[in-house]
Amino acid sequence: MIEVINYLNNIVWGSLLIYLLLGAGIYFTIRSGFIQLRHFGHMFGVLKNSKQSDKAGISSFQALCTSLAARVGTGNLTGVAIALTAGGPGAIFWMWVVALLGMATSFIESTLAQLYKTKDDQGNYRGGPAYYMQKGLNFRWMGIIFSIFLIIAFGLVFNAVQANSIVQATAIAFDFNPLYVGIGLVIMSGIVIFGGLKSIAKVAELVVPIMALAYLMLAFWVVGHHIERLPEVFMMIMRNAFGLQEAAGGAIGYGIGQAMTQGVQRGLFSNEAGMGSAPNAAASAAPYPPHPASQGYVQMLGVFMDTMVICSATAIIILCSGVLDNPVENINGIELTQLALSSAVGSCIAIAIFFFAFTSIIANYAYAESNMIFLESNHTSKLLILRLAALGMVMFGSLAEMPLIWKLADLSMGLMAITNLIAILLLSGIAFKLAKDYNMQKNAGKLPTFDINQHPELKIQVEEGIWEEKHVKQWVNKNAI
């Protein structure tokens, strides 16, 4: 079976997605006037009042933490280690490139998700790529395909990936029995996901900032022990990224190809820009400023934090530690990261891995639930089946081998990303228009506020009552400071 999955992955990644992802990122970057660079400071500024929300939506900060909970998982630990062993240090450079371009892509998809959001039967905001495919493109069939891919990827496969990393980490650090770890993980995950989206957002809001700061402090501690190697590490990354180390041996093309493929693949798995996952969290927010583009800026920051900060920290830890100087046979993935950290912090890394992966599990489920609702499966019994299936995959991942799980994750992620990238390329003109409207108001010293009446061509597409002037003004007055 793994041979079939490898064949499909080669088609998806080698022939389609790597070019589509980079091409879309370059297009969005140029067309938006390098928005991720010009408005870099505003990404942080928009968080000023990000803890405000209303009864229908979570706060922008909760949406950011929820998306970070899904992003900051094993892709930052296991994924970086896999990229280094399979693609060499140069893969990290291409992860940076993907993140920089992906920030613009994330702005587009999250802005569109906010614009086309709806309310579910309980009055909570829901949205994401499936919703803007139906409302913006009038392609419900495309939304159905995307939803199925996302439920398979995030509701099922990715949760197995996260559980697998937790089990490996605890087995290495504490020699825990995988069966018991899996059972405990299922119970903890079940308690949170049965509480619904707002329960997941509250847990993410509490855990993610502490988790990220603690990991960065850990990284500074480890790098401090090997500070003399830091210049060498950055030179190693740059030389390997452009095949300079392989040039003498005549393998320059192969070296660059491996570094680029692994960097793009693991970079997308980590920051998820263009994949269509984070927009599900972005759509659930009641944004402040009350404009769809404000969530674009918030989620753009999420990509930066994930790859440029957390993933870079992991890569530098591994490369500074010297564990790749004389690689050990059959050591890769999470074992490599733990080996790099063990000399400085011992078994503490297993605790960090647990929180990274656990928060990803609950956030992944939140994405799957929103798409289950899109499929008009909001019935309690159907959601119960989804929750039980998600928890079942957590148990499966706790007991299964890693290679097959990662290959399945790559395939489902790739198919999902292709579908979403096609949609946002078709709808990008609307996102650029919203960005222009937002920044015209901001530059004029006004609070950017979306007035749907100024956009009659959009009024017929968005759900009635979501962006009505009366509703938006009430939201602004309630949260005015």
Side-chain angles (χ1 to χ4, degrees):
M1 181 178 180
I2 197 166
E3 290 80 9
V4 175
I5 295 172
N6 279 333
Y7 175 75
L8 294 174
N9 270 325
N10 288 336
I11 295 175
V12 170
W13 286 96
S15 304
L16 296 173
L17 189 54
I18 191 169
Y19 302 108
L20 184 59
L21 181 69
L22 292 174
I26 292 169
Y27 171 71
F28 295 142
T29 296
I30 294 173
R31 181 76 189 277
S32 67
F34 293 83
I35 192 169
Q36 67 270 59
L37 300 179
R38 289 190 303 113
H39 298 162
F40 183 79
H42 187 63
M43 293 190 307
F44 298 89
V46 80
L47 291 180
K48 181 180 177 182
N49 299 310
S50 63
K51 291 198 173 184
Q52 302 174 33
S53 63
D54 64 18
K55 63 181 181 180
I58 60 178
S59 69
S60 291
F61 186 70
Q62 287 178 325
L64 174 63
C65 288
T66 301
S67 66
L68 277 174
R71 286 182 173 121
V72 181
T74 53
N76 304 83
L77 302 172
T78 308
V80 171
I82 289 173
L84 285 170
T85 53
I92 304 307
F93 173 81
W94 295 109
M95 287 183 76
W96 292 339
V97 171
V98 168
L100 185 63
L101 297 175
M103 288 169 71
T105 304
S106 185
F107 178 89
I108 300 298
E109 62 182 357
S110 296
T111 298
L112 290 169
Q114 256 294 310
L115 175 67
Y116 291 110
K117 67 185 179 184
T118 66
K119 285 186 178 181
D120 63 19
D121 294 344
Q122 285 73 46
N124 298 317
Y125 290 137
R126 297 281 186 175
Y131 294 80
Y132 55 66
M133 289 169 190
Q134 175 177 310
K135 293 179 174 295
L137 294 174
N138 198 28
F139 292 164
R140 179 168 172 80
W141 61 267
M142 191 179 195
I144 291 172
I145 291 173
F146 177 86
S147 291
I148 292 171
F149 285 148
L150 186 142
I151 290 169
I152 292 171
F154 280 82
L156 303 175
V157 179
F158 283 6
N159 283 342
V161 170
Q162 306 297 341
N164 186 269
S165 290
I166 290 176
V167 166
Q168 284 194 50
T170 54
I172 294 167
F174 308 114
D175 197 27
F176 286 170
N177 187 313
L179 176 63
Y180 298 145
V181 174
I183 292 171
L185 194 54
V186 166
I187 294 171
M188 291 183 64
S189 303
I191 290 171
V192 179
I193 68 174
F194 272 87
L197 177 61
K198 292 193 174 182
S199 171
I200 292 169
K202 287 177 182 178
V203 172
E205 181 183 28
L206 175 65
V207 176
V208 169
I210 298 172
M211 177 182 77
L213 286 173
Y215 185 69
L216 288 177
M217 290 173 64
L218 185 65
F220 283 126
W221 174 265
V222 175
V223 172
H225 280 68
H226 307 280
I227 194 69
E228 71 283 352
R229 293 201 62 175
L230 207 53
E232 177 192 345
V233 163
F234 281 105
M235 287 301 297
M236 190 191 311
I237 290 171
M238 298 308 295
R239 286 198 304 267
N240 188 259
F242 297 100
L244 299 181
Q245 290 178 330
E246 294 83 2
I252 183 169
Y254 178 78
I256 294 175
Q258 281 293 98
M260 183 182 292
T261 299
Q262 287 297 322
V264 171
Q265 201 167 350
R266 300 271 70 85
L268 177 59
F269 184 87
S270 175
N271 66 53
E272 301 179 12
M275 194 191 303
S277 51
N280 292 275
S284 300
Y288 194 89
H291 194 289
S294 67
Q295 265 302 300
Y297 284 107
V298 169
Q299 296 302 327
M300 195 159 64
L301 176 61
V303 174
F304 175 82
M305 291 297 297
D306 174 87
T307 304
M308 306 304 286
V309 178
I310 305 294
C311 281
S312 295
T314 303
I316 291 171
I317 286 170
I318 294 172
L319 293 172
C320 279
S321 71
V323 296
L324 289 180
D325 294 348
N326 298 293
V328 180
E329 287 292 325
N330 300 321
I331 295 291
N332 53 41
I334 204 64
E335 297 173 75
L336 187 63
T337 308
Q338 285 186 269
L339 186 62
L341 286 160
S342 60
S343 61
V345 295
S347 300
C348 293
I349 185 59
I351 299 172
I353 292 165
F354 170 81
F355 283 107
F356 273 49
F358 172 71
T359 53
S360 289
I361 288 171
I362 60 175
N364 288 347
Y365 169 77
Y367 294 167
E369 183 175 283
S370 288
N371 284 268
M372 195 74 170
I373 290 171
F374 174 82
L375 295 175
E376 297 179 355
S377 298
N378 199 20
H379 193 276
T380 304
S381 62
K382 293 180 180 178
L383 291 181
L384 175 63
I385 292 171
L386 175 65
R387 289 168 179 170
L388 293 176
L391 295 175
M393 286 301 290
V394 169
M395 196 68 231
F396 169 77
S398 300
L399 303 175
E401 292 295 320
M402 188 182 83
L404 177 60
I405 297 174
W406 275 98
K407 296 297 182 183
L408 284 169
D410 286 338
L411 181 59
S412 57
M413 173 180 66
L415 294 172
M416 188 176 135
I418 289 171
T419 308
N420 181 60
L421 285 167
I422 292 171
I424 61 177
L425 282 167
L426 293 173
L427 290 169
S428 59
I430 294 172
F432 295 132
K433 184 185 296 185
L434 293 175
K436 182 179 180 180
D437 178 62
Y438 180 96
N439 285 293
M440 283 179 62
Q441 294 185 58
K442 181 172 74 72
N443 294 337
K446 300 177 182 177
L447 176 72
T449 304
F450 184 60
D451 183 359
I452 190 64
N453 294 311
Q454 297 294 319
H455 305 275
E457 74 284 4
L458 297 179
K459 191 172 184 178
I460 60 174
Q461 294 181 336
V462 302
E463 182 166 310
E464 186 177 354
I466 298 291
W467 294 107
E468 293 302 321
E469 184 179 8
K470 179 180 177 182
H471 173 76
V472 173
K473 283 185 175 180
Q474 287 175 343
W475 168 229
V476 171
N477 292 336
K478 176 185 175 184
N479 293 281
I481 297 178

